[in-house]
Amino acid sequence: MRLLITGGCGFIGSNFIRYILKRYPNYKIVNLDKLTYAGNLDNLKDVKENKNYKFIKGDICNYKTVDSLVKGIEVIINFAAETHVDRSIVDASNFIKTNYNGTYILLEAALKNKIKYFLQISTDEVYGSRVKGFFKESDTLNPSSPYSASKAAADLLAVSYFKTYKLPVFIARSSNNFGPCQYPEKVIPLFITNILQNKKLPLYSRGENIRDWLFVLDNCLAIDLILHKGLPGEIYNISAGNYLKNSELTKIILKKMDKPWEFINFVKDRPGHDFRYAMDSLKIAKLGWKPRYKFLNALDLTINWYRENSLWWKKLKAKF
Ligand SMILES: NC(=O)c1ccc[n+]([C@@H]2O[C@H](COP(=O)([O-])OP(=O)(O)OC[C@H]3O[C@@H](n4cnc5c(N)ncnc54)[C@H](O)[C@@H]3O)[C@@H](O)[C@H]2O)c1
């Protein structure tokens, strides 16, 4: 199989590329990434000489670039995005450009070049918040931030390409990921690396908000399954059911890293902060997916990775 993976130098994309190259030694990957602040060639330096892997620096918003790369490609998997909610609140423009317009360009190129499958990587944030119960794939989208609104818009556009043009589109909506190579502005790597630097942990409000945590390799397994067994036109939620208040998550990290509760610095809440994300992932379970990693073990793996790769994150944090 020949795949065009976009945003492959980011957190999930780089884990996915490494996973695919190992799992399918005959698959060929082209990685198109703009190398924004979140894209990092170091994430894939161990595979850069692999004969089945090719990196192209470029923008998914540029039709000419995308169209030239899609020739001979069977599958597009779109990870490329602006992904940090706080940044979208400060300035949404790049979120609209990349997350919405960029997806449009990829869909157009997929259609014109008769791509076999198009897999749009989405997020649980498109459903918005709910106090009780779980969102199903058929539920109405109700995003709260410019980030989640741009992702929701891209999902709707991708679905329209299936309905209107029969472009074989899948959508994968996962909950919050964590694991190696996650940019240290996101909560888990931020807290781990702050502790390693003996800095306090900025926790929004009283830490009551609830998130559902998924180890990145479990997400890779789910995306692989959707690609090989999913039904075109379908949306798949991916949740491991690890629901934690942010304060509980922080407590666990502090305990694992031998720091006291006083290490927390409560900060003013984010505007439009969703209280709870929760999805029903029965549909992907029926395809045969279940998480392989237990949350606490995966968190240990993640903490160890940041301990052992301080050069990786120190370079990035120096730019904050
Ligand atoms: N991280 C999570 O917890 C999470 C959860 C659910 C869904 N997602 C989705 O998964 C995808 C990947 O998330 P991530 O956390 O790995 O993101 P990331 O921010 O770590 O990486 C994004 C990558 O996209 C690249 N990129 C940005 N704009 C581009 C453009 N215009 N053209 C080409 N490349 C561009 C960046 O250089 C970077 O390598 C995103 O679509 C995100 O919405 C992430």
Side-chain angles (χ1 to χ4, degrees):
M1 202 181 263
R2 282 156 299 165
L3 303 109
L4 174 66
I5 293 185
T6 68
C9 295
F11 163 48
I12 306 177
S14 61
N15 278 284
F16 185 74
I17 287 177
R18 188 172 300 101
Y19 163 87
I20 289 287
L21 288 173
K22 196 163 167 212
R23 170 100 167 77
Y24 303 102
N26 56 341
Y27 282 20
K28 298 206 181 310
I29 293 178
V30 175
N31 171 16
L32 171 65
D33 196 298
K34 187 179 173 183
L35 296 181
T36 66
Y37 77 97
N40 189 342
L41 288 174
D42 287 349
N43 290 355
L44 287 168
K45 65 175 180 221
D46 54 323
V47 302
K48 78 172 195 228
E49 302 300 338
N50 187 311
K51 62 176 182 4
N52 290 334
Y53 171 72
K54 192 171 165 190
F55 168 67
I56 306 284
K57 183 173 180 207
D59 192 333
I60 61 165
C61 300
N62 184 323
Y63 187 80
K64 251 189 175 167
T65 306
V66 172
D67 185 55
S68 68
L69 292 177
V70 163
K71 312 268 177 250
I73 289 286
E74 291 160 283
V75 175
I76 297 178
I77 307 183
N78 180 26
F79 290 92
E82 289 292 337
T83 60
H84 193 42
V85 174
D86 291 346
R87 288 179 190 256
S88 80
I89 293 169
V90 175
D91 180 359
S93 59
N94 282 337
F95 289 73
I96 311 304
K97 269 186 221 142
T98 290
N99 301 2
Y100 184 68
N101 285 340
T103 303
Y104 160 67
I105 295 290
L106 292 170
L107 287 164
E108 276 294 303
L111 193 63
K112 182 174 160 224
N113 291 282
K114 300 190 172 50
I115 285 293
K116 204 165 153 196
Y117 299 118
F118 186 101
L119 209 167
Q120 172 68 4
I121 303 297
S122 183
T123 164
D124 58 357
E125 300 196 26
V126 296
Y127 296 114
S129 180
R130 70 188 289 164
V131 176
K132 277 189 200 155
F134 304 90
F135 286 111
K136 283 192 190 317
E137 288 85 350
S138 52
D139 281 327
T140 308
L141 305 188
N142 187 21
S144 305
S145 69
Y147 162 67
S148 52
S150 66
K151 295 294 292 184
D155 282 14
L156 295 176
L157 191 66
V159 169
S160 81
Y161 271 64
F162 173 73
K163 288 187 183 164
T164 307
Y165 308 112
K166 304 283 170 278
L167 182 72
V169 167
F170 310 111
I171 296 180
R173 290 188 184 142
S174 82
S175 64
N176 276 39
N177 283 222
F178 68 102
C181 297
Q182 187 168 27
Y183 194 83
E185 66 185 350
K186 305 285 167 61
V187 66
I188 289 186
L190 176 71
F191 283 11
I192 295 171
T193 57
N194 271 16
I195 294 175
L196 293 172
Q197 292 176 305
N198 219 25
K199 286 186 186 161
K200 286 204 162 191
L201 315 185
L203 187 59
Y204 282 128
S205 190
R206 302 305 297 171
E208 289 296 301
N209 301 55
I210 296 168
R211 295 293 178 266
D212 171 13
W213 291 99
L214 174 69
F215 189 53
V216 64
L217 292 180
D218 275 326
N219 193 15
C220 293
L221 287 163
I223 296 166
D224 176 7
L225 196 65
I226 294 170
L227 185 61
H228 291 94
K229 294 213 176 131
L231 275 183
E234 294 293 322
I235 298 167
Y236 295 92
N237 289 343
I238 309 165
S239 147
N242 298 311
Y243 301 102
L244 287 172
K245 284 184 185 173
N246 287 339
S247 58
E248 293 169 328
L249 170 74
T250 310
K251 240 183 231 168
I252 295 172
I253 296 175
L254 284 169
K255 188 152 184 251
K256 282 188 179 293
M257 298 184 75
D258 295 322
K259 289 287 182 203
W261 178 246
E262 290 65 44
F263 236 66
I264 295 181
N265 177 26
F266 288 106
V267 294
K268 193 168 164 253
D269 207 1
R270 158 197 284 170
H273 200 176
D274 284 331
F275 175 66
R276 173 177 174 267
Y277 298 129
M279 294 183 299
D280 173 322
S281 46
L282 204 64
K283 198 161 156 187
I284 194 158
K286 282 190 185 151
L287 277 192
W289 179 83
K290 62 172 187 216
R292 285 198 193 159
Y293 292 83
K294 294 215 178 321
F295 174 73
L296 292 176
N297 296 345
L299 189 59
D300 284 336
L301 281 176
T302 306
I303 292 173
N304 286 340
W305 190 86
Y306 283 90
R307 276 194 208 283
E308 285 162 13
N309 290 277
S310 60
L311 272 183
W312 182 91
W313 57 263
K314 277 185 179 160
K315 259 201 270 182
L316 303 176
K317 277 189 118 176
K319 293 182 199 152
F320 277 22

Coordinates of all heavy atoms in Angstrom, one line a residue, residues 6-14 32-40 43 58-61 78-84 94 97-99 102 120-125 147 151 172-178 181-183 185-186 213-214 219, ligand 1:
T6 N -0.1 13.1 6.2 CA 0.2 14.5 6.4 C 0.4 14.8 7.9 O -0.2 14.1 8.7 CB -0.9 15.4 5.8 OG1 -2.1 15.2 6.7 CG2 -1.3 15.1 4.4
G7 N 1.3 15.7 8.2 CA 1.5 16.1 9.6 C 2.2 14.9 10.3 O 2.1 14.8 11.6
G8 N 3.0 14.2 9.6 CA 3.7 13.0 10.1 C 4.9 13.4 11.1 O 5.4 12.5 11.7
C9 N 5.3 14.6 11.1 CA 6.4 15.0 12.0 C 5.8 15.5 13.4 O 6.6 15.9 14.2 CB 7.2 16.1 11.4 SG 8.1 15.5 9.9
G10 N 4.5 15.4 13.6 CA 3.9 15.8 14.9 C 3.9 14.6 15.8 O 4.5 13.5 15.5
F11 N 3.1 14.7 16.8 CA 3.1 13.7 17.9 C 2.5 12.4 17.4 O 3.1 11.3 17.3 CB 2.3 14.3 19.1 CG 1.8 13.3 20.1 CD1 2.6 12.3 20.6 CD2 0.5 13.4 20.5 CE1 2.1 11.4 21.5 CE2 0.0 12.5 21.5 CZ 0.8 11.5 22.0
I12 N 1.2 12.4 17.0 CA 0.5 11.1 16.7 C 1.0 10.6 15.3 O 1.3 9.4 15.1 CB -1.0 11.3 16.7 CG1 -1.5 11.9 18.0 CG2 -1.7 9.9 16.4 CD1 -3.0 12.1 18.0
G13 N 1.2 11.6 14.4 CA 1.6 11.2 13.0 C 3.0 10.4 13.1 O 3.2 9.4 12.4
S14 N 3.9 10.9 13.9 CA 5.2 10.3 13.9 C 5.2 8.9 14.6 O 5.8 7.9 14.1 CB 6.3 11.2 14.6 OG 5.9 11.4 16.0
L32 N 4.1 14.3 4.3 CA 4.0 15.8 3.9 C 3.8 16.6 5.2 O 2.7 16.4 5.8 CB 2.9 16.0 2.9 CG 2.6 17.5 2.6 CD1 3.8 18.2 1.9 CD2 1.4 17.6 1.7
D33 N 4.8 17.4 5.5 CA 4.6 18.2 6.8 C 5.3 19.6 6.6 O 6.3 19.7 6.0 CB 5.3 17.4 7.9 CG 4.9 18.0 9.3 OD1 5.1 19.2 9.6 OD2 4.4 17.2 10.1
K34 N 4.6 20.5 7.1 CA 5.0 21.9 6.9 C 6.1 22.3 7.9 O 6.8 23.3 7.8 CB 3.8 22.8 7.1 CG 4.0 24.3 6.9 CD 2.7 25.0 7.1 CE 2.9 26.5 7.0 NZ 1.7 27.3 7.3
L35 N 6.3 21.4 8.9 CA 7.2 21.7 10.0 C 6.9 23.1 10.7 O 7.7 24.0 10.7 CB 8.7 21.7 9.5 CG 9.2 20.3 9.1 CD1 10.7 20.4 8.6 CD2 9.0 19.2 10.1
T36 N 5.7 23.1 11.2 CA 5.4 24.3 12.1 C 6.1 24.1 13.4 O 6.9 23.1 13.5 CB 3.9 24.3 12.4 OG1 3.5 23.2 13.2 CG2 3.0 24.3 11.1
Y37 N 5.9 25.0 14.4 CA 6.5 24.8 15.7 C 6.3 23.4 16.2 O 7.2 22.9 17.0 CB 6.0 25.9 16.7 CG 4.6 25.5 17.2 CD1 4.5 24.9 18.4 CD2 3.5 25.7 16.5 CE1 3.3 24.5 18.9 CE2 2.3 25.3 16.9 CZ 2.2 24.7 18.2 OH 0.9 24.3 18.6
A38 N 5.2 22.7 15.8 CA 4.9 21.4 16.4 C 5.5 20.3 15.6 O 5.5 19.1 16.1 CB 3.4 21.2 16.5
G39 N 6.0 20.5 14.4 CA 6.6 19.5 13.6 C 8.0 19.4 13.9 O 8.7 20.4 14.0
N40 N 8.5 18.2 14.0 CA 9.9 18.0 14.5 C 10.5 16.8 13.8 O 10.1 15.6 13.9 CB 9.8 17.7 16.0 CG 11.2 17.7 16.7 OD1 12.2 17.6 16.0 ND2 11.1 17.8 18.0
N43 N 11.6 13.6 15.6 CA 10.6 12.5 15.9 C 10.7 11.3 15.1 O 10.3 10.2 15.5 CB 9.1 13.1 15.8 CG 8.8 14.1 16.8 OD1 9.6 14.4 17.7 ND2 7.6 14.7 16.7
G58 N 6.3 20.6 3.2 CA 5.3 21.4 2.4 C 4.0 21.5 3.1 O 3.8 20.9 4.2
D59 N 3.1 22.3 2.5 CA 1.9 22.7 3.2 C 0.7 22.0 2.5 O 0.5 22.0 1.3 CB 1.7 24.3 2.9 CG 0.7 24.9 3.8 OD1 -0.3 24.2 4.2 OD2 0.8 26.1 4.1
I60 N -0.2 21.5 3.4 CA -1.4 20.8 2.8 C -2.4 21.8 2.2 O -3.3 21.4 1.4 CB -2.2 20.0 3.9 CG1 -2.7 20.8 5.0 CG2 -1.3 18.8 4.3 CD1 -3.8 20.1 5.8
C61 N -2.1 23.1 2.4 CA -3.0 24.1 1.8 C -2.6 24.5 0.4 O -3.3 25.2 -0.3 CB -3.0 25.4 2.6 SG -3.6 25.1 4.3
N78 N -4.9 12.1 7.0 CA -4.6 13.5 7.3 C -4.5 13.8 8.8 O -5.5 14.0 9.5 CB -5.7 14.4 6.7 CG -5.5 15.9 7.0 OD1 -4.4 16.3 7.2 ND2 -6.6 16.6 7.0
F79 N -3.3 13.8 9.3 CA -3.0 14.2 10.7 C -2.7 15.7 10.8 O -2.7 16.2 11.9 CB -1.8 13.4 11.2 CG -1.9 12.0 11.4 CD1 -1.6 11.1 10.4 CD2 -2.4 11.5 12.7 CE1 -1.7 9.7 10.6 CE2 -2.5 10.1 12.9 CZ -2.2 9.2 11.9
A80 N -2.3 16.3 9.7 CA -1.8 17.7 9.8 C -2.9 18.6 10.3 O -4.0 18.6 9.9 CB -1.4 18.2 8.4
A81 N -2.5 19.4 11.3 CA -3.4 20.3 11.9 C -2.7 21.3 12.9 O -1.6 21.0 13.3 CB -4.5 19.5 12.7
E82 N -3.4 22.4 13.1 CA -3.0 23.2 14.3 C -3.8 22.6 15.4 O -5.0 22.4 15.3 CB -3.4 24.7 14.1 CG -2.6 25.4 13.1 CD -1.1 25.6 13.5 OE1 -0.9 25.6 14.8 OE2 -0.2 25.7 12.7
T83 N -3.2 22.3 16.6 CA -3.9 21.4 17.5 C -4.0 22.0 19.0 O -4.6 21.3 19.8 CB -3.1 20.1 17.6 OG1 -1.8 20.3 18.1 CG2 -3.1 19.3 16.3
H84 N -3.5 23.1 19.2 CA -3.5 23.6 20.6 C -4.6 24.6 20.9 O -4.6 25.7 20.3 CB -2.1 24.2 21.0 CG -2.0 24.3 22.5 ND1 -2.4 23.4 23.4 CD2 -1.5 25.3 23.3 CE1 -2.2 23.8 24.6 NE2 -1.6 25.0 24.6
N94 N -4.7 30.4 11.6 CA -4.1 29.2 11.1 C -4.9 27.9 11.3 O -4.7 26.9 10.6 CB -2.7 29.0 11.8 CG -1.7 30.0 11.2 OD1 -1.8 30.4 10.0 ND2 -0.6 30.3 11.9
K97 N -7.2 27.9 8.3 CA -6.5 27.6 7.1 C -6.1 26.1 7.0 O -6.5 25.5 6.1 CB -5.1 28.4 7.1 CG -5.3 29.8 6.4 CD -3.9 30.4 6.3 CE -4.0 31.9 6.7 NZ -2.9 32.5 7.4
T98 N -5.4 25.7 8.0 CA -4.9 24.3 7.9 C -6.0 23.3 8.2 O -6.2 22.3 7.4 CB -3.7 24.1 8.9 OG1 -2.6 24.8 8.5 CG2 -3.3 22.6 9.0
N99 N -6.7 23.4 9.2 CA -7.7 22.4 9.6 C -8.9 22.3 8.7 O -9.3 21.2 8.4 CB -8.1 22.6 11.1 CG -7.0 22.6 12.0 OD1 -5.8 22.5 11.7 ND2 -7.3 22.7 13.3
G102 N -7.1 23.3 4.5 CA -6.1 22.2 4.1 C -6.8 20.9 3.9 O -6.5 20.1 2.9
Q120 N -9.6 10.8 7.7 CA -9.5 12.1 8.3 C -9.3 11.9 9.8 O -10.2 11.2 10.4 CB -10.8 12.9 8.0 CG -10.9 14.2 8.8 CD -9.9 15.3 8.4 OE1 -9.0 15.1 7.5 NE2 -9.9 16.4 9.1
I121 N -8.2 12.4 10.4 CA -8.0 12.3 11.8 C -8.7 13.4 12.6 O -8.3 14.6 12.4 CB -6.5 12.2 12.2 CG1 -5.8 11.1 11.4 CG2 -6.2 12.1 13.6 CD1 -6.2 9.7 11.7
S122 N -9.7 13.0 13.3 CA -10.5 14.0 14.0 C -10.4 13.8 15.6 O -9.4 13.1 16.0 CB -11.9 13.9 13.6 OG -12.7 14.9 14.2
T123 N -11.3 14.4 16.3 CA -11.1 14.5 17.7 C -12.5 14.4 18.5 O -13.5 14.8 17.9 CB -10.4 15.8 18.1 OG1 -10.6 16.0 19.5 CG2 -11.0 17.0 17.4
D124 N -12.4 14.0 19.7 CA -13.7 13.9 20.5 C -14.2 15.4 20.8 O -15.3 15.6 21.1 CB -13.5 13.2 21.8 CG -12.3 13.8 22.7 OD1 -11.7 14.7 22.3 OD2 -12.2 13.3 23.8
E125 N -13.3 16.4 20.6 CA -13.7 17.7 21.0 C -14.8 18.3 20.0 O -15.4 19.2 20.4 CB -12.4 18.6 21.0 CG -11.4 18.2 22.0 CD -10.4 19.2 22.3 OE1 -10.6 20.4 22.2 OE2 -9.3 18.8 22.7
Y147 N -10.4 25.8 17.7 CA -9.8 24.5 17.3 C -10.9 23.5 17.0 O -10.9 22.9 15.9 CB -8.9 24.0 18.4 CG -8.5 22.6 18.3 CD1 -7.7 22.1 17.2 CD2 -9.0 21.6 19.2 CE1 -7.4 20.8 17.0 CE2 -8.6 20.2 19.0 CZ -7.9 19.8 17.9 OH -7.6 18.5 17.8
K151 N -12.0 21.7 13.4 CA -12.0 20.2 13.2 C -13.4 19.7 12.8 O -13.5 18.8 11.9 CB -11.5 19.5 14.4 CG -10.1 19.8 14.8 CD -9.0 19.2 13.8 CE -8.9 17.7 13.8 NZ -7.9 17.3 12.8
A172 N -11.8 9.2 12.0 CA -11.4 8.6 13.3 C -11.4 9.7 14.3 O -10.7 10.7 14.2 CB -10.0 8.0 13.2
R173 N -12.3 9.6 15.3 CA -12.4 10.6 16.4 C -11.9 10.0 17.7 O -12.5 9.2 18.4 CB -13.8 11.1 16.6 CG -14.4 11.9 15.5 CD -15.7 12.5 15.8 NE -16.2 13.1 14.6 CZ -17.5 13.1 14.2 NH1 -18.4 12.5 14.9 NH2 -17.9 13.8 13.1
S174 N -10.6 10.4 18.1 CA -10.1 9.8 19.3 C -10.2 10.9 20.4 O -10.3 12.1 20.2 CB -8.6 9.4 19.1 OG -7.8 10.5 19.2
S175 N -10.1 10.3 21.6 CA -10.0 11.2 22.8 C -8.6 11.7 23.0 O -7.7 11.4 22.1 CB -10.4 10.4 24.0 OG -9.5 9.3 24.3
N176 N -8.3 12.3 24.1 CA -6.9 12.9 24.3 C -5.8 11.8 24.3 O -5.9 10.9 25.1 CB -6.9 13.6 25.7 CG -7.4 15.0 25.7 OD1 -8.4 15.2 25.1 ND2 -6.8 15.8 26.5
N177 N -4.8 12.0 23.5 CA -3.7 11.1 23.4 C -2.6 11.5 24.3 O -2.5 12.7 24.6 CB -3.1 11.1 22.0 CG -3.9 10.3 21.0 OD1 -3.4 9.5 20.2 ND2 -5.3 10.4 21.0
F178 N -1.8 10.6 24.7 CA -0.5 10.9 25.4 C 0.5 9.8 25.1 O 0.2 8.7 24.6 CB -0.7 11.0 27.0 CG -1.0 9.6 27.6 CD1 0.0 9.0 28.3 CD2 -2.3 9.1 27.5 CE1 -0.3 7.7 28.9 CE2 -2.5 7.8 28.1 CZ -1.6 7.1 28.7
C181 N 7.0 11.8 22.3 CA 7.1 12.8 21.2 C 5.9 13.8 21.2 O 5.6 14.4 20.2 CB 7.1 12.1 19.8 SG 8.6 11.2 19.6
Q182 N 5.2 13.9 22.3 CA 4.1 14.9 22.3 C 4.7 16.3 22.7 O 5.4 16.4 23.7 CB 3.0 14.5 23.3 CG 1.8 15.5 23.3 CD 0.6 15.0 24.0 OE1 0.7 14.2 25.0 NE2 -0.6 15.4 23.6
Y183 N 4.4 17.3 22.0 CA 4.9 18.6 22.2 C 4.7 19.1 23.6 O 3.5 19.0 24.1 CB 4.3 19.6 21.2 CG 5.1 20.9 21.1 CD1 6.2 21.0 20.3 CD2 4.6 22.0 21.8 CE1 6.9 22.2 20.2 CE2 5.3 23.2 21.7 CZ 6.5 23.3 20.9 OH 7.2 24.5 20.9
E185 N 3.8 21.5 25.2 CA 2.8 22.5 25.7 C 1.5 21.8 26.1 O 0.6 22.4 26.7 CB 2.5 23.5 24.5 CG 1.7 22.8 23.4 CD 1.5 23.7 22.1 OE1 1.8 24.9 22.2 OE2 1.1 23.1 21.1
K186 N 1.3 20.5 25.8 CA 0.1 19.8 26.1 C 0.3 19.2 27.5 O 1.4 19.0 28.0 CB -0.1 18.6 25.1 CG -0.1 19.0 23.7 CD -1.5 19.7 23.3 CE -1.4 20.4 22.0 NZ -1.2 19.6 20.8
W213 N -8.3 9.6 28.6 CA -6.9 9.4 28.1 C -6.7 8.2 27.4 O -7.1 7.1 27.8 CB -5.9 9.5 29.3 CG -6.0 10.9 29.9 CD1 -6.6 11.4 31.0 CD2 -5.3 12.1 29.3 NE1 -6.5 12.7 31.1 CE2 -5.7 13.2 30.1 CE3 -4.6 12.3 28.1 CZ2 -5.3 14.5 29.8 CZ3 -4.1 13.6 27.8 CH2 -4.5 14.7 28.7
L214 N -6.0 8.3 26.2 CA -5.7 7.2 25.3 C -4.2 7.2 25.0 O -3.7 8.2 24.5 CB -6.5 7.5 24.0 CG -6.3 6.5 22.8 CD1 -6.8 5.1 23.1 CD2 -7.0 7.1 21.6
N219 N -4.1 4.3 19.9 CA -4.7 5.1 18.8 C -4.2 4.6 17.4 O -5.0 4.4 16.5 CB -4.5 6.6 19.0 CG -5.4 7.4 18.1 OD1 -6.3 7.0 17.5 ND2 -5.0 8.7 17.9
Ligands
LIG1 N1 -3.0 15.0 20.5 C1 -4.3 14.6 20.8 O1 -4.6 14.4 22.0 C2 -5.3 14.5 19.8 C3 -6.5 13.9 20.1 C4 -7.5 13.7 19.1 C5 -7.3 14.1 17.8 N2 -6.1 14.7 17.5 C6 -5.8 15.0 16.1 O2 -4.7 14.3 15.6 C7 -4.0 15.0 14.7 C8 -2.5 15.0 15.1 O3 -2.4 15.6 16.4 P1 -1.0 15.8 17.1 O4 -1.3 16.0 18.5 O5 -0.1 14.8 16.6 O6 -0.6 17.2 16.5 P2 0.8 18.0 16.5 O7 0.4 19.4 16.8 O8 1.8 17.3 17.4 O9 1.3 17.9 15.0 C9 0.7 18.5 13.9 C10 1.6 18.3 12.7 O10 1.0 18.9 11.6 C11 1.9 19.7 10.9 N3 1.2 20.7 10.2 C12 0.6 21.8 10.7 N4 0.1 22.5 9.7 C13 0.4 22.0 8.5 C14 0.2 22.3 7.2 N5 -0.5 23.3 6.8 N6 0.7 21.4 6.2 C15 1.4 20.4 6.6 N7 1.7 20.0 7.8 C16 1.2 20.8 8.8 C17 2.9 20.2 12.0 O11 4.1 20.6 11.4 C18 3.0 19.0 12.9 O12 4.0 18.1 12.5 C19 -4.6 16.4 14.6 O13 -5.5 16.4 13.4 C20 -5.4 16.5 15.8 O14 -6.6 17.3 15.6 C21 -5.1 14.9 18.4

